[in-house]
């Protein structure tokens, strides 16, 4: 089961510094002034996003890394994508870049949209 969980991104809670939050927890956490990043493409972002989210496209690694390099690595960062897989991969990159605490939205923007 662990191979399947890892493949589907369900093992995310097991990586130090990356926490996958349920929608209600995520919504509560981002009510404060936080580093909130939508890692989807600009086209996806333009179709709708979470209020106050910055768009740093995971598929454009140059801009992605450049954008995150300007952020405070000692403060929590909240990421999301369409369904959760891309943002989890982004979170792993952020850990390697030195971010200490990363929060990922379980189910991504698709789940968010269904609830809000």
């Amino acid at each position: 089961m662990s191979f399947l969980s890892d493949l589907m991104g369900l093992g995310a809670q097991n990586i130090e510094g990356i926490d996958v939050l349920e929608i209600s927890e995520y919504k509560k956490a981002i009510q404060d002034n936080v580093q909130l990043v939508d890692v989807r493409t600009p086209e996806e972002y333009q179709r709708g996003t979470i209020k106050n989210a910055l768009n740093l496209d995971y598929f454009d690694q140059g801009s992605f890394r450049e954008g995150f390099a300007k952020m405070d690595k000692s403060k929590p960062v909240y990421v999301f994508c369409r369904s959760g897989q891309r943002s989890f991969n982004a979170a792993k990159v952020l850990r390697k870049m030195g971010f200490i605490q990363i929060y990922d939205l379980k189910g991504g923007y698709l789940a968010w949209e269904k609830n809000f």
Side-chain angles (χ1 to χ4, degrees), residues 13-111:
Q13 295 88 342
N14 298 330
I15 294 181
E16 183 179 345
I18 302 172
D19 292 314
V20 179
L21 301 179
E22 298 288 339
I23 294 168
S24 59
E25 293 174 281
Y26 197 90
K27 182 181 183 198
K28 184 177 180 183
I30 65 170
Q31 288 179 358
D32 295 327
N33 186 21
V34 298
Q35 300 181 117
L36 177 63
V37 183
D38 182 338
V39 300
R40 298 176 301 156
T41 66
E43 295 78 18
E44 290 172 301
Y45 178 82
Q46 289 175 3
R47 284 185 286 227
T49 192
I50 298 173
K51 185 179 178 184
N52 298 323
L54 173 66
N55 183 220
L56 294 174
D57 183 358
Y58 175 72
F59 293 132
D60 182 352
Q61 281 293 300
S63 293
F64 176 85
R65 290 174 183 273
E66 186 178 307
F68 275 106
K70 296 175 185 174
M71 294 184 164
D72 188 341
K73 293 179 175 132
S74 68
K75 292 185 178 176
V77 63
Y78 294 80
V79 295
F80 67 94
C81 66
R82 181 178 173 273
S83 64
Q85 186 61 46
R86 202 176 340 167
S87 55
F88 181 63
N89 289 332
K92 291 189 284 188
V93 172
L94 296 177
R95 282 293 294 159
K96 290 179 184 173
M97 289 178 68
F99 284 84
I100 297 168
Q101 190 59 54
I102 304 138
Y103 296 96
D104 190 5
L105 175 60
K106 184 176 183 179
Y109 189 69
L110 288 175

